[in-house]
Amino acid sequence: MIVRPGLHWLRMVFVWRGSVLRDIAPQLLLVTGFSILVTAFHGYLFAWKVPLNFVPFSLIGLTLAIFLGFRNNTSYARYWEARMLWGTVLNESRNLLRMGLTLVEPPAKSQLLAARLIAFVHALRHQLRHTDPSADFARVLSPEDQVRLQPALFKPAMLLLMASEWARDHRQAGQAMEMPLGRLTEALGGCERIAGTPIPFTYVVIIHRTIFLYCVLLPFGLIDSIGPMTPVIVVFLGYTFFALEALGQEIEEPFGTAQNDLALDEMSRTIESTLREMLGEPQQPIVMDPEVFNHT
Amino acid sequence: MIVRPGLHWLRMVFVWRGSVLRDIAPQLLLVTGFSILVTAFHGYLFAWKVPLNFVPFSLIGLTLAIFLGFRNNTSYARYWEARMLWGTVLNESRNLLRMGLTLVEPPAKSQLLAARLIAFVHALRHQLRHTDPSADFARVLSPEDQVRLQPALFKPAMLLLMASEWARDHRQAGQAMEMPLGRLTEALGGCERIAGTPIPFTYVVIIHRTIFLYCVLLPFGLIDSIGPMTPVIVVFLGYTFFALEALGQEIEEPFGTAQNDLALDEMSRTIESTLREMLGEPQQPIVMDPEVFNHT
Amino acid sequence: MIVRPGLHWLRMVFVWRGSVLRDIAPQLLLVTGFSILVTAFHGYLFAWKVPLNFVPFSLIGLTLAIFLGFRNNTSYARYWEARMLWGTVLNESRNLLRMGLTLVEPPAKSQLLAARLIAFVHALRHQLRHTDPSADFARVLSPEDQVRLQPALFKPAMLLLMASEWARDHRQAGQAMEMPLGRLTEALGGCERIAGTPIPFTYVVIIHRTIFLYCVLLPFGLIDSIGPMTPVIVVFLGYTFFALEALGQEIEEPFGTAQNDLALDEMSRTIESTLREMLGEPQQPIVMDPEVFNHT
Amino acid sequence: MIVRPGLHWLRMVFVWRGSVLRDIAPQLLLVTGFSILVTAFHGYLFAWKVPLNFVPFSLIGLTLAIFLGFRNNTSYARYWEARMLWGTVLNESRNLLRMGLTLVEPPAKSQLLAARLIAFVHALRHQLRHTDPSADFARVLSPEDQVRLQPALFKPAMLLLMASEWARDHRQAGQAMEMPLGRLTEALGGCERIAGTPIPFTYVVIIHRTIFLYCVLLPFGLIDSIGPMTPVIVVFLGYTFFALEALGQEIEEPFGTAQNDLALDEMSRTIESTLREMLGEPQQPIVMDPEVFNHT
Amino acid sequence: MIVRPGLHWLRMVFVWRGSVLRDIAPQLLLVTGFSILVTAFHGYLFAWKVPLNFVPFSLIGLTLAIFLGFRNNTSYARYWEARMLWGTVLNESRNLLRMGLTLVEPPAKSQLLAARLIAFVHALRHQLRHTDPSADFARVLSPEDQVRLQPALFKPAMLLLMASEWARDHRQAGQAMEMPLGRLTEALGGCERIAGTPIPFTYVVIIHRTIFLYCVLLPFGLIDSIGPMTPVIVVFLGYTFFALEALGQEIEEPFGTAQNDLALDEMSRTIESTLREMLGEPQQPIVMDPEVFNHT
């Protein structure tokens, strides 16, 4: 996730970091080269003048708008839902620990609960990013808990079961803790859903093809009316199309480490910090290097 | 459901598997043939030059955009809601079993609960796909439970009642299990709703007619300005229209086994696996054949 | 509600049943006749050539798109929300009966609860359709319950109160039944809301006027460029506009018996059937006449 | 709120009541007059022919569509959310009284609860419309309750506190009543939110300016191509723009008494009637004067 | 937040306060100057006539509409969600205090609860605006509570824990207070989410670039058809684009003190006032200076 709030409007026109130019460069270069060729040959393809004007492109624009708008909205909805699910992880961890601290005597007993919740957060991040959670487990969990988690396929689900067992062992808490435990289960399932169910593949194919064909045909449609400006416009349009597609692809699966993905590392650290503070451990604010815009 | 994350952008232009070309081939061929005929006769219909230009098509585009956008968004909303309902099935099964394991002593008693929940998941899938659940029932349920389910019309609802009876027989659990049982009932009803209530038929008819008439008239409107390129553009436009319609039709009822439908088989297996792991049975990761993209 | 899943794409172009042609025939004929007249007189109105081209129509298209898109989305949202509310009626009836059967001993006592719930479902349907519920009440309720309901203005609300009294008389159930009773109350109130609050009348007026004026002026704008094809295009456009409007009007109040309205009859029967099955009464599958597509 | 369901499509073209023509007349007349002047002078402004054609307007249409669509959707969303909040008021009042009647013995004790709930509904309406609730309070509340409410700034919130005190005084009810009380608090806060937070003022300004400038420049852009039809088209377009804006303004704050606002009077009466019927007081159906379409 | 309900439609065309003209002045001046230069040189760039017409701009309009519509809707959704979260803060504070007053004897004990809730509201506002909460804490909290909050990084979360401890110390309340406490935790987490997760930076860059390039190229595309009117139209279009972008930027992070941001000061005061009134302290209505439109 890139955070650069104070950027001047003029500098934003020329910023390189944070744009998707790198990702779409090959496609854009291909389209640019082709449009320059078409312009150089005045729209002739082997001595045959390709008879096209702007009309077909304004008609095709109709479905293209539907496709791109759909792709864009769907991808962003997935991104934002993923962010909300991580918000739920924060909220319900706080709720559970708050209940532990106020419903179970003495409060110190809640340290085990907090450890399992913190381990859950890290386990969820590692599962979504296919990385190894052992180091984080070693840092926060007891050896027995680590051993129990070792063979588990669904580690975060197992940790919720273990948090639930803590509640069982401290029956004073009553059943109030079932609701936040249920919500954490939902957040876990929601993240697994987004990670495991991509946007239907056929959409991706149709959109990609339509954009590509559009950009290849476009120079023939413009050459007669705007002549040497044809490549400029084709590149401009191609840039917006490809960028929209690339951006959609990036945020559609928002748990990765690409520049527009969610800052799971930072969020995990924040949750751990706020839970530890509730236990009474003093916390230091997380200081960011102002030159590093890309939070992972 | 097709999962092909690492596909190169150039290969995606020419991919055959996962596109809907096969489904829309007849309509596309008809429209192509007709537009070639119109081009060959220079827009004449029995010696009468059909006087059309691009204007009517840009006006008709207005309602077409509304229709297609509506169809597309509605179909995808149904698809995604169905996916969320299956997510609820996963979450609340986990919640119920977690409660069983922590609220009822000894935990071994929860095996019967887990069996009924696993049977519920398979029963739901079989009901939605109109297939026979007997084999799955025989694998997880006791003979008495199988006998009781035999005559039932609404098998998943009956299994929820039986899970509820388990809770009644183990009163230690209190009433906390009512909430996840209620949520499973909602997920069941939601799936039945999507399966039983199609998009209003009149929409389907109007959209189909508008697209068809548009594609049949279009060659007459293009022939005078782009001549021999007419069939190319008609096919291009027809492809996006028909593909959008076919895709909508496919994901609107997402419980089937078409290539963009939900992978109910895989999800059922995953739910069974995570529940069994909670019971303490070690699980193997599900290995996919990398050449098979179509998950059912 | 029309259900015709297997319709061939070619037959769908010519289907009569399920289209709204009948409803919009008068307006469409008027517009057709007028456009033929305009074409016959070459756009002259009493010797004055009306100077119009396509430009104004493409500008007007802007607001028309907003209006029609809004009308369409809002109407469908009402339709789908109504369907979801009836889904809630199904889910929460099942939940209540499940609770009755598992929380109250002996299960046979729940027959009275089931009777009141079934009566509630039918009462809701009759209230929404302004029909007489007496026959259904006589079939499922005791004479005393019927007498009590006789003078009630808000019969479904009264039946929920009576279901609540059943819960009071069987206190073993605790307060778990309050939640599904509350949800049924919400579903009832939601249906009353949709039935009682139409889309703001001014929208309906503005949209109707804009469409009408557009269709009346359009022939003058097309006659110079497409000549004798003018009526064809005007009818085509008029068809999509009027159909969109008529369809919106139909599904906006989805509790009627028009061809795209919800199949309340069928849903009531299904709910009654699933509740009876839970009580242990064997049920027969509902067989549909394959020639009857219109489910009410 | 205007309710005229059976209006014939032809009469709807000419209906005066329910349209917003009155509200937008001044602006529409100004724009009409100006466009007639421009037409009379053939687009000359003090001997200078203003060089405009339709192109700029089709480009400006882009942002105008975004603005108007946004304004329209946002206003309607506020209207519909307000309606849903009042639906919640109905539902949760019923729920609370149902609980009172079934959880507290004898049922007659619930009359005090019902009185406070009915007073809450009227107090909410009066607060939203800035009218005096004393008459309604005198009709339903005891003198002591009236005295207590007299100095309160937040009268509906105070009435919910008093309903809560009733629950405290009848502890048999347990804590089940906390949930509907919480929902009523949310409905109250939601109404206050809509009433107190308008659509950001800058939107209103930008949209208003864009529409106005568009309508003033438009005659110059049309005069060369459609000549004397210019004022007709300008008025037509201006009507749709201004009507969309005026309608948005009206329903954005839906608690007033304008013709498209919510029928709070009628809803309050309905809620009072259904609550009284639950108490056992026979109710008369509310008869509407068929000539009065405007329900407040 | 600007509140100016009764503004006349004519005055709204010329209003300065509340428009974003100040923020976008530099960009608008640059674009204006450039378009005047292009007009003065008749579209020549160093003796080369730039061959452009309106066609490319109508094609680019396609993606521009998607981008701007997306930006606008997303920003407003964030604004409105933030407003709803503050609505939740109001509602659940009322709920908690209502529970305290009715479930705990004597009601006077609830003063400590109210103090911590009021401090929570102010702490949330100060955290979101990065201001110092000490003055507000000194006004409402006991010295011990202030000392405990001093070192906390997450002050609002700590205050919710302290409110929870109050509930623990007054066990008569049972666990009913867990639900509103959980909702306040969610509102807190939601505000932190909106404040900490901007719209993906790449969107902001692409939209900004597309607008800028569009405005720079536009004069070349218009000069041949509308000549000296070119700068007028460019400024008009640039105004709507830049204003849309600036407005999006302003309300996307709605917790600041810009003119369209949420009136957190006023809302905090209102919440404090309604809570104090529930405690029995008489409240004065908040009087606004009618000349000050900008509520913070």
Side-chain angles (χ1 to χ4, degrees):
Chain A
M1 198 177 69
I2 296 174
V3 182
R4 300 183 75 169
L7 211 60
H8 189 262
W9 62 268
L10 196 56
R11 233 188 111 191
M12 215 189 282
V13 177
F14 301 106
V15 77
W16 168 257
R17 188 102 62 111
S19 88
V20 284
L21 273 177
R22 202 168 354 191
D23 301 330
I24 63 175
Q27 312 173 47
L28 208 51
L29 282 177
L30 193 89
V31 163
T32 311
F34 185 74
S35 71
I36 290 175
L37 277 182
V38 170
T39 310
F41 290 96
H42 299 284
Y44 277 84
L45 201 74
F46 305 112
W48 178 56
K49 178 79 170 87
V50 179
L52 271 180
N53 57 19
F54 76 98
V55 169
F57 301 94
S58 106
L59 297 182
I60 293 165
L62 176 78
T63 35
L64 206 52
I66 295 175
F67 278 135
L68 286 176
F70 167 76
R71 176 73 199 258
N72 191 44
N73 290 335
T74 310
S75 297
Y76 183 74
R78 290 166 63 95
Y79 169 84
W80 195 239
E81 194 197 349
R83 180 60 189 85
M84 293 188 90
L85 291 168
W86 271 80
T88 301
V89 170
L90 166 65
N91 299 338
E92 302 303 334
S93 306
R94 276 178 175 163
N95 273 336
L96 274 170
L97 188 53
R98 188 173 46 69
M99 288 182 185
L101 287 168
T102 55
L103 301 177
V104 172
E105 295 289 349
K109 283 193 173 169
S110 294
Q111 286 193 331
L112 179 57
L113 174 65
R116 287 175 178 172
L117 289 173
I118 292 170
F120 164 76
V121 174
H122 291 296
L124 178 56
R125 187 185 80 239
H126 286 294
Q127 174 177 310
L128 293 170
R129 290 192 167 163
H130 307 290
T131 48
D132 181 15
S134 314
D136 279 312
F137 286 176
R139 196 165 50 79
V140 294
L141 287 178
S142 69
E144 306 86 74
D145 280 5
Q146 292 183 51
V147 167
R148 186 168 169 201
L149 278 169
Q150 189 58 42
L153 280 186
F154 305 91
K155 290 188 171 58
M158 190 58 72
L159 276 157
L160 287 184
L161 179 60
M162 287 154 69
S164 206
E165 288 167 358
W166 182 92
R168 174 197 58 195
D169 297 341
H170 302 87
R171 274 290 157 83
Q172 309 140 278
Q175 296 185 344
M177 297 179 80
E178 290 303 332
M179 184 160 288
L181 280 168
R183 294 251 179 89
L184 282 184
T185 305
E186 280 168 36
L188 164 61
C191 288
E192 290 171 346
R193 167 169 47 82
I194 290 176
T197 313
I199 292 178
F201 184 64
T202 305
Y203 275 114
V204 180
V205 171
I206 297 180
I207 294 173
H208 190 74
R209 274 182 194 164
T210 308
I211 289 178
F212 206 79
L213 206 47
Y214 187 101
C215 288
V216 164
L217 290 177
L218 186 59
F220 298 108
L222 292 180
I223 184 72
D224 282 346
S225 65
I226 62 169
M229 284 299 278
T230 301
V232 175
I233 297 301
V234 170
V235 169
F236 188 5
L237 264 165
Y239 168 66
T240 60
F241 287 156
F242 291 135
L244 206 45
E245 201 195 10
L247 189 49
Q249 222 155 345
E250 205 172 279
I251 65 175
E252 153 193 16
E253 207 288 66
F255 300 122
T257 51
Q259 57 185 0
N260 286 298
D261 285 343
L262 291 171
L264 299 192
D265 282 343
E266 201 178 298
M267 282 193 272
S268 312
R269 273 204 305 275
T270 303
I271 298 174
E272 180 166 348
S273 182
T274 189
L275 294 186
R276 289 192 185 280
E277 186 171 280
M278 289 172 80
L279 286 174
E281 308 174 12
Q283 297 296 308
Q284 300 301 322
I286 301 170
V287 183
M288 300 288 174
D289 181 343
E291 284 307 298
V292 177
F293 310 118
N294 195 359
H295 303 202
T296 56
Chain B
M1 198 178 69
I2 297 173
V3 182
R4 300 183 75 169
L7 211 60
H8 189 263
W9 63 268
L10 196 56
R11 234 189 109 191
M12 215 189 281
V13 177
F14 300 106
V15 76
W16 167 258
R17 187 103 61 110
S19 88
V20 283
L21 273 177
R22 202 167 357 190
D23 301 329
I24 63 176
Q27 313 173 46
L28 209 50
L29 283 177
L30 193 88
V31 163
T32 310
F34 185 74
S35 70
I36 290 175
L37 278 182
V38 169
T39 310
F41 289 97
H42 299 284
Y44 277 84
L45 201 75
F46 305 112
W48 178 57
K49 178 79 171 86
V50 179
L52 270 180
N53 56 19
F54 76 98
V55 169
F57 300 95
S58 105
L59 297 181
I60 293 164
L62 176 78
T63 35
L64 205 53
I66 295 175
F67 278 136
L68 286 176
F70 167 77
R71 176 74 200 260
N72 191 43
N73 291 335
T74 310
S75 298
Y76 182 73
R78 290 166 63 95
Y79 170 83
W80 195 239
E81 193 197 349
R83 180 59 189 85
M84 293 189 91
L85 291 168
W86 271 80
T88 300
V89 170
L90 165 65
N91 299 338
E92 303 303 334
S93 306
R94 277 179 175 163
N95 274 335
L96 273 170
L97 187 53
R98 189 173 45 69
M99 287 182 186
L101 287 167
T102 55
L103 302 176
V104 172
E105 294 288 350
K109 284 193 172 169
S110 294
Q111 286 193 329
L112 179 58
L113 174 65
R116 287 176 178 172
L117 289 174
I118 291 170
F120 165 76
V121 174
H122 291 296
L124 178 56
R125 187 184 80 239
H126 286 294
Q127 173 177 312
L128 292 171
R129 289 192 166 161
H130 307 289
T131 48
D132 181 16
S134 314
D136 279 311
F137 286 175
R139 195 164 51 79
V140 293
L141 288 177
S142 67
E144 307 86 74
D145 280 4
Q146 292 183 51
V147 167
R148 185 167 168 201
L149 278 169
Q150 189 57 43
L153 279 186
F154 304 92
K155 290 188 172 57
M158 191 57 73
L159 275 157
L160 287 184
L161 179 59
M162 287 155 69
S164 206
E165 288 167 359
W166 182 92
R168 174 196 59 195
D169 298 339
H170 302 87
R171 274 291 157 83
Q172 309 140 278
Q175 296 186 345
M177 297 179 80
E178 291 303 332
M179 184 160 288
L181 281 168
R183 293 251 179 90
L184 281 183
T185 306
E186 279 167 37
L188 164 61
C191 288
E192 290 171 346
R193 167 169 47 82
I194 289 176
T197 313
I199 291 178
F201 184 63
T202 305
Y203 276 113
V204 181
V205 171
I206 297 180
I207 294 174
H208 190 74
R209 273 182 195 166
T210 307
I211 290 178
F212 207 79
L213 206 48
Y214 186 101
C215 288
V216 164
L217 290 177
L218 186 59
F220 298 107
L222 292 179
I223 184 72
D224 283 344
S225 65
I226 62 169
M229 283 299 279
T230 300
V232 175
I233 297 301
V234 170
V235 169
F236 188 5
L237 263 166
Y239 168 66
T240 60
F241 287 156
F242 291 135
L244 206 45
E245 202 195 10
L247 189 49
Q249 222 156 344
E250 205 172 280
I251 65 174
E252 152 194 18
E253 209 287 69
F255 299 122
T257 51
Q259 58 185 359
N260 287 298
D261 285 343
L262 291 171
L264 300 191
D265 282 343
E266 201 179 298
M267 282 193 273
S268 313
R269 271 204 307 273
T270 303
I271 298 174
E272 181 167 348
S273 182
T274 191
L275 294 185
R276 288 191 186 280
E277 185 172 280
M278 288 172 80
L279 286 174
E281 307 175 12
Q283 296 297 307
Q284 299 301 323
I286 302 170
V287 183
M288 300 289 175
D289 180 345
E291 284 307 299
V292 176
F293 310 118
N294 195 359
H295 304 201
T296 56
Chain C
M1 199 178 69
I2 297 173
V3 182
R4 300 183 76 168
L7 210 60
H8 189 263
W9 62 268
L10 196 57
R11 234 189 111 191
M12 215 189 280
V13 178
F14 301 105
V15 76
W16 168 257
R17 187 103 61 111
S19 90
V20 284
L21 273 177
R22 200 169 357 192
D23 302 329
I24 63 176
Q27 312 173 48
L28 208 50
L29 283 177
L30 193 87
V31 163
T32 311
F34 185 73
S35 70
I36 291 175
L37 277 182
V38 170
T39 309
F41 288 97
H42 298 284
Y44 278 83
L45 200 75
F46 306 112
W48 178 57
K49 177 79 171 84
V50 179
L52 270 180
N53 56 19
F54 76 98
V55 169
F57 300 95
S58 106
L59 297 181
I60 293 165
L62 176 78
T63 36
L64 205 54
I66 294 175
F67 279 135
L68 287 175
F70 167 76
R71 177 74 200 259
N72 190 44
N73 290 335
T74 310
S75 298
Y76 182 74
R78 290 166 63 95
Y79 169 84
W80 195 239
E81 194 198 348
R83 180 60 188 83
M84 293 189 90
L85 291 168
W86 272 79
T88 300
V89 171
L90 165 65
N91 299 339
E92 303 303 334
S93 306
R94 276 178 175 165
N95 273 335
L96 274 171
L97 188 53
R98 187 173 47 68
M99 287 183 188
L101 287 168
T102 54
L103 302 176
V104 172
E105 293 288 348
K109 283 193 171 169
S110 295
Q111 286 193 329
L112 179 58
L113 174 66
R116 288 177 179 173
L117 288 173
I118 292 170
F120 164 76
V121 174
H122 291 295
L124 178 56
R125 188 185 79 238
H126 286 294
Q127 174 178 311
L128 292 171
R129 290 193 167 161
H130 307 289
T131 48
D132 181 15
S134 314
D136 279 311
F137 286 176
R139 194 163 53 77
V140 293
L141 288 178
S142 69
E144 307 87 73
D145 280 4
Q146 293 183 50
V147 167
R148 185 167 168 201
L149 279 169
Q150 188 59 43
L153 279 186
F154 305 91
K155 290 188 171 59
M158 191 57 73
L159 276 157
L160 287 184
L161 179 59
M162 288 155 70
S164 207
E165 288 168 359
W166 182 92
R168 175 197 59 196
D169 297 341
H170 302 87
R171 275 289 157 85
Q172 310 141 276
Q175 297 186 345
M177 297 180 80
E178 290 304 332
M179 184 160 287
L181 280 168
R183 294 251 178 88
L184 281 184
T185 305
E186 280 167 36
L188 164 61
C191 288
E192 290 171 346
R193 167 168 48 82
I194 289 176
T197 313
I199 290 178
F201 184 64
T202 305
Y203 275 114
V204 181
V205 170
I206 297 180
I207 295 173
H208 190 73
R209 273 181 195 167
T210 307
I211 290 178
F212 207 78
L213 205 49
Y214 186 101
C215 289
V216 164
L217 289 177
L218 186 59
F220 298 108
L222 292 179
I223 184 71
D224 283 345
S225 64
I226 61 170
M229 284 299 279
T230 300
V232 175
I233 298 301
V234 170
V235 170
F236 188 6
L237 263 166
Y239 168 67
T240 60
F241 287 155
F242 291 135
L244 206 45
E245 203 195 8
L247 188 49
Q249 222 156 345
E250 206 172 279
I251 66 174
E252 155 193 15
E253 209 287 68
F255 300 122
T257 51
Q259 59 186 359
N260 286 299
D261 285 342
L262 291 171
L264 299 192
D265 281 344
E266 201 178 297
M267 282 193 273
S268 312
R269 272 205 305 274
T270 303
I271 297 174
E272 181 166 348
S273 181
T274 190
L275 293 186
R276 288 191 185 281
E277 186 171 280
M278 288 172 81
L279 286 174
E281 307 174 12
Q283 297 297 308
Q284 299 302 322
I286 302 170
V287 183
M288 301 287 174
D289 181 345
E291 284 307 299
V292 176
F293 310 118
N294 196 359
H295 304 201
T296 56
Chain D
M1 197 177 69
I2 297 173
V3 182
R4 300 183 75 167
L7 210 59
H8 189 263
W9 62 268
L10 196 56
R11 233 188 111 192
M12 216 189 281
V13 178
F14 301 105
V15 76
W16 168 257
R17 186 102 61 113
S19 90
V20 284
L21 273 177
R22 200 169 356 192
D23 302 329
I24 63 175
Q27 312 173 47
L28 208 50
L29 283 177
L30 192 88
V31 163
T32 311
F34 185 74
S35 71
I36 291 175
L37 277 182
V38 170
T39 310
F41 289 97
H42 298 285
Y44 277 82
L45 200 74
F46 306 113
W48 178 58
K49 178 81 170 86
V50 179
L52 270 179
N53 57 19
F54 76 98
V55 169
F57 300 95
S58 107
L59 297 182
I60 293 165
L62 175 78
T63 35
L64 206 53
I66 295 175
F67 279 135
L68 287 175
F70 167 76
R71 177 72 200 260
N72 191 43
N73 290 335
T74 311
S75 297
Y76 182 75
R78 291 166 62 95
Y79 169 83
W80 194 239
E81 194 197 349
R83 180 61 189 83
M84 293 188 90
L85 291 168
W86 271 79
T88 301
V89 170
L90 165 65
N91 299 339
E92 302 304 333
S93 306
R94 276 178 175 164
N95 273 336
L96 274 171
L97 188 53
R98 187 172 47 68
M99 288 183 187
L101 287 167
T102 55
L103 301 177
V104 173
E105 294 288 348
K109 283 193 173 170
S110 294
Q111 286 192 331
L112 179 56
L113 174 65
R116 288 176 178 173
L117 289 173
I118 293 170
F120 165 76
V121 174
H122 291 295
L124 178 56
R125 188 185 80 239
H126 286 295
Q127 174 178 309
L128 292 171
R129 290 192 166 162
H130 307 289
T131 48
D132 181 15
S134 314
D136 279 311
F137 286 176
R139 195 164 53 78
V140 293
L141 287 178
S142 68
E144 307 87 74
D145 279 4
Q146 292 182 50
V147 167
R148 185 167 169 201
L149 278 169
Q150 189 57 43
L153 279 186
F154 304 91
K155 290 189 171 58
M158 191 57 73
L159 276 157
L160 287 184
L161 179 60
M162 287 155 69
S164 205
E165 288 167 359
W166 182 92
R168 175 197 59 195
D169 298 340
H170 303 86
R171 275 289 157 84
Q172 310 141 276
Q175 297 186 344
M177 297 179 80
E178 291 304 331
M179 185 161 288
L181 281 168
R183 294 252 178 88
L184 282 184
T185 306
E186 279 168 36
L188 165 60
C191 288
E192 290 171 346
R193 168 168 48 81
I194 289 176
T197 312
I199 291 179
F201 184 63
T202 305
Y203 275 113
V204 180
V205 170
I206 297 179
I207 295 174
H208 190 73
R209 273 181 195 166
T210 307
I211 290 178
F212 208 79
L213 206 49
Y214 186 101
C215 289
V216 163
L217 289 177
L218 186 59
F220 298 107
L222 293 179
I223 185 72
D224 283 344
S225 64
I226 62 170
M229 284 299 278
T230 300
V232 175
I233 297 300
V234 170
V235 169
F236 187 6
L237 263 166
Y239 168 66
T240 60
F241 287 155
F242 291 135
L244 206 44
E245 203 195 9
L247 189 49
Q249 223 156 344
E250 205 172 278
I251 65 174
E252 155 193 17
E253 208 288 69
F255 299 122
T257 51
Q259 59 186 357
N260 286 299
D261 285 342
L262 291 171
L264 299 192
D265 281 344
E266 200 177 298
M267 281 192 272
S268 312
R269 272 204 306 274
T270 303
I271 297 174
E272 181 167 348
S273 182
T274 189
L275 293 186
R276 289 191 185 282
E277 185 171 281
M278 288 172 80
L279 286 174
E281 308 174 13
Q283 297 297 307
Q284 299 302 322
I286 302 169
V287 183
M288 300 288 173
D289 181 345
E291 285 306 299
V292 176
F293 310 118
N294 195 0
H295 304 203
T296 56
Chain E
M1 198 177 71
I2 297 173
V3 182
R4 299 183 75 168
L7 210 60
H8 190 262
W9 62 268
L10 196 56
R11 234 190 110 189
M12 215 188 283
V13 177
F14 301 106
V15 76
W16 169 257
R17 188 103 61 112
S19 90
V20 284
L21 272 177
R22 202 169 356 193
D23 302 329
I24 63 176
Q27 312 173 47
L28 208 51
L29 283 177
L30 193 89
V31 164
T32 311
F34 185 74
S35 71
I36 290 175
L37 277 182
V38 170
T39 310
F41 289 97
H42 298 284
Y44 277 83
L45 201 74
F46 305 113
W48 178 57
K49 178 79 169 88
V50 180
L52 272 179
N53 57 19
F54 76 97
V55 169
F57 301 95
S58 105
L59 297 181
I60 293 165
L62 176 78
T63 36
L64 206 53
I66 295 176
F67 278 135
L68 286 175
F70 168 76
R71 176 73 199 260
N72 190 44
N73 290 336
T74 310
S75 297
Y76 182 74
R78 289 167 64 95
Y79 169 84
W80 195 238
E81 193 197 350
R83 181 59 189 84
M84 294 188 90
L85 291 168
W86 271 80
T88 300
V89 171
L90 165 65
N91 299 339
E92 302 303 333
S93 306
R94 277 177 174 164
N95 273 335
L96 274 170
L97 188 53
R98 187 173 46 68
M99 288 183 186
L101 287 167
T102 55
L103 301 177
V104 173
E105 294 289 348
K109 283 194 173 168
S110 294
Q111 285 192 329
L112 179 57
L113 174 65
R116 287 176 178 173
L117 289 173
I118 292 170
F120 165 75
V121 174
H122 290 295
L124 178 56
R125 188 185 80 240
H126 287 295
Q127 174 177 312
L128 292 171
R129 290 192 166 163
H130 308 289
T131 48
D132 181 16
S134 313
D136 279 311
F137 285 176
R139 195 164 52 79
V140 293
L141 287 178
S142 69
E144 306 87 75
D145 279 5
Q146 293 183 51
V147 167
R148 185 168 168 200
L149 278 169
Q150 188 58 41
L153 280 186
F154 304 92
K155 291 189 170 59
M158 191 57 72
L159 276 157
L160 287 184
L161 179 60
M162 287 155 69
S164 207
E165 288 167 359
W166 182 92
R168 175 196 59 194
D169 298 340
H170 302 87
R171 275 289 157 83
Q172 309 141 277
Q175 296 186 345
M177 297 179 80
E178 291 303 332
M179 184 161 289
L181 280 168
R183 294 252 178 89
L184 281 183
T185 305
E186 280 167 36
L188 164 61
C191 288
E192 290 171 346
R193 168 169 47 82
I194 290 176
T197 313
I199 291 179
F201 184 64
T202 305
Y203 275 114
V204 180
V205 170
I206 298 179
I207 295 173
H208 190 74
R209 273 181 194 165
T210 308
I211 290 178
F212 206 79
L213 206 48
Y214 187 101
C215 288
V216 164
L217 289 177
L218 186 59
F220 298 107
L222 293 179
I223 185 73
D224 283 346
S225 65
I226 62 170
M229 284 299 278
T230 301
V232 175
I233 297 301
V234 170
V235 169
F236 188 6
L237 263 165
Y239 168 66
T240 59
F241 287 155
F242 291 134
L244 206 45
E245 202 195 9
L247 189 49
Q249 221 155 345
E250 206 172 277
I251 65 175
E252 153 193 16
E253 208 287 68
F255 299 122
T257 52
Q259 59 185 357
N260 286 298
D261 285 342
L262 291 171
L264 300 191
D265 282 344
E266 200 178 300
M267 282 194 272
S268 312
R269 273 205 305 274
T270 302
I271 297 175
E272 181 167 349
S273 182
T274 189
L275 293 186
R276 289 191 185 280
E277 185 171 280
M278 288 172 81
L279 286 174
E281 308 174 13
Q283 297 297 308
Q284 300 301 322
I286 301 170
V287 183
M288 301 289 174
D289 180 346
E291 284 307 299
V292 177
F293 310 119
N294 196 359
H295 303 202
T296 56

